[in-house]
Amino acid sequence: MGSKTLIMKPAEIAPEEMPAPKPKATLGIQSDTAFTEAAKRLNGRDLCSIADLTVQEMAAIMELAHSVKSHPEDFRHALDAKQMVMFFEKASLRTRLTFETAINTLGGNAIFVDQTQSPLGERESLADMARNLERWMSIIVLRTYAHETITEMAAGSRVPVINALSNLEHPCQAIADFFTIEERFGSAAGLRFTYVGDGNNVCHSLMLTAAQLGAHCTIASPKGFAPKLEIIHKAIEIAETTGGSITLLHDPVKAVTGADAIYTDVCTSMGFEHEATKRAPIFKPYQVNEALMAHAQQDAVFMHCLPAHRNAEVTDAVLDGPQSVVFDQAENRMHAQKALLLMLLGGAKRISNNRSRSTQTRKRTNS
């Protein structure tokens, strides 16, 4: 499969040839020096968007995630005495517990502040909060509605800020998801990844991550529910450097045909509950069921960020079936977030790939 991309026109989704591709970026970490340089650049940085990362920085995070999962004892005290505060405007199971477990098992400490009844910036300006927090905390983790809440906090703070979910992106989820793909397939480069459903925050981060790792990413969404153009264009720009591609379709069957991984999310994200009744019939043809999965590769995996609305966007048969890796994804949130914390707080170190990786590789066809 080539690196042709498809972009969305105002009234339809149709192919358009892009300019001649740029030279491909080097995928993966090639040396100890490259890993060290990426770690130095990330030390003290924010993660508001997947687009904040370079291809090499993403590769370094992925490699470190494999290392911390395989050899947790090597990182047991890497973040001793580091303090992490989490402000969550939205309910959470996986994000909160995996972040707390991650820093606790690295030697640090987590403090949780429930903001579900009082949006950040309402009682005190975000700038003033940031100037306080940076004097006590080593890192700030935010789960918010408005993406601007995260970028404003990051702009005002001298310590790193992590986007643990906003209405625009969910970068921690996407990193864990592609870490799961690497575990299953050995590499995301050249893999055919299909997302079926709403072009939401999860979809945005998945597109950007797929592009950075050289995957061929296809999005199938109903008319009016495609990803944001700014994200599409950024993902295409990245994919042109890595040999990946971005394809946008309306037809879910065409989108999943030959796919190695099929991903879906709820049709109505948090904050859009008032649209649930209107969205249900629109998204019904996009349900991931056994019939849709049959069009993918025989060993394709099913993925979902959870929580799932059973028998809505996905059937029980698929969610609980042998192709499902949804609970592997959930587990890997912890390992991926360990890698992020280590990188942003200066605790990263490299462990040889032959020690840190245990993958199930296979030869992919081009059919």
Side-chain angles (χ1 to χ4, degrees):
M1 183 180 290
S3 61
K4 182 175 72 175
T5 56
L6 305 183
I7 65 172
M8 185 175 67
K9 296 181 178 180
E12 60 178 356
I13 295 179
E16 179 175 318
E17 293 293 336
M18 300 299 294
K22 303 171 186 176
K24 292 183 182 180
T26 303
L27 297 174
I29 299 299
Q30 303 300 310
S31 66
D32 288 344
T33 300
F35 182 92
T36 300
E37 289 177 351
K40 284 181 178 178
R41 291 195 303 271
L42 286 167
N43 187 7
R45 286 251 301 275
D46 304 311
L47 179 65
C48 300
S49 165
I50 290 293
D52 293 341
L53 302 172
T54 67
V55 170
Q56 283 287 350
E57 288 164 357
M58 175 63 78
I61 291 168
M62 287 292 181
E63 179 174 328
L64 185 56
H66 287 285
S67 296
V68 298
K69 183 172 183 178
S70 299
H71 305 285
E73 67 281 358
D74 290 347
F75 301 90
R76 196 73 74 196
H77 299 286
L79 298 183
D80 276 357
K82 298 293 186 181
Q83 300 294 318
M84 177 182 74
V85 65
M86 301 183 291
F87 290 89
F88 282 25
E89 293 179 348
K90 295 185 176 184
S92 174
L93 173 67
R94 281 153 294 277
T95 301
R96 177 180 175 179
L97 293 181
T98 54
F99 261 114
E100 288 191 0
T101 305
I103 197 160
N104 289 343
T105 53
L106 293 171
N109 183 59
I111 299 171
F112 178 77
V113 182
D114 186 351
Q115 294 286 158
T116 55
Q117 304 302 314
S118 175
L120 286 163
E122 185 175 81
R123 178 175 177 270
E124 185 173 6
S125 74
L126 292 170
D128 284 352
M129 285 185 67
R131 293 179 69 183
N132 280 273
L133 294 171
E134 68 186 13
R135 293 167 183 256
W136 311 319
M137 299 295 145
S138 309
I139 195 162
I140 302 166
V141 177
L142 303 179
R143 182 176 171 90
T144 72
Y145 287 94
H147 189 71
E148 292 73 22
T149 299
I150 293 169
T151 55
E152 188 175 341
M153 185 74 81
S157 171
R158 291 179 295 182
V159 299
V161 171
I162 293 179
N163 177 0
L165 181 140
S166 71
N167 280 355
L168 183 64
E169 276 202 58
H170 198 352
C172 299
Q173 179 70 56
I175 292 170
D177 293 337
F178 273 89
F179 169 65
T180 306
I181 283 173
E182 287 192 349
E183 280 192 318
R184 178 57 64 104
F185 296 110
S187 171
L191 180 131
R192 287 161 293 188
F193 175 86
T194 297
Y195 175 94
V196 178
D198 188 22
N200 59 15
N201 49 0
V202 172
C203 178
H204 290 157
S205 289
L206 289 169
M207 288 173 63
L208 293 167
T209 307
Q212 287 193 338
L213 295 173
H216 298 295
C217 178
T218 300
I219 308 296
S221 56
K223 291 182 180 179
F225 295 92
K228 290 184 178 293
L229 274 173
E230 64 191 88
I231 303 293
I232 295 170
H233 292 154
K234 184 61 180 178
I236 288 172
E237 178 186 339
I238 296 168
E240 290 293 331
T241 73
T242 63
S245 63
I246 306 297
T247 304
L248 301 175
L249 300 171
H250 292 316
D251 184 347
V253 173
K254 184 175 181 181
V256 305
T257 299
D260 298 302
I262 298 176
Y263 197 118
T264 194
D265 191 7
V266 295
C267 305
T268 306
S269 299
M270 285 184 286
F272 295 90
E273 290 85 356
H274 61 285
E275 298 181 3
T277 301
K278 180 184 78 172
R279 286 174 175 242
I282 296 172
F283 282 90
K284 188 174 181 180
Y286 293 81
Q287 182 190 72
V288 180
N289 49 40
E290 289 177 296
L292 191 66
M293 288 293 296
H295 294 279
Q297 293 283 347
Q298 188 175 3
D299 60 349
V301 296
F302 170 74
M303 308 183 77
H304 194 301
C305 54
L306 301 179
H309 293 168
R310 287 174 173 269
N311 299 310
E313 74 274 4
V314 57
T315 60
D316 283 345
V318 173
L319 188 66
D320 298 324
Q323 292 174 280
S324 177
V325 294
V326 298
F327 297 110
D328 293 333
Q329 294 170 255
E331 176 189 344
N332 286 336
R333 289 291 302 277
M334 179 180 66
H335 305 299
Q337 286 156 196
K338 279 186 180 183
L340 280 175
L341 292 169
L342 288 164
M343 283 292 189
L344 301 185
L345 291 175
K349 62 180 178 181
R350 192 183 193 208
I351 296 177
S352 174
N353 265 339
N354 59 13
R355 286 185 62 207
S356 64
R357 294 249 180 146
S358 177
T359 56
Q360 303 172 32
T361 58
R362 68 169 173 80
K363 185 177 181 180
R364 300 188 190 93
T365 65
N366 292 318
S367 59

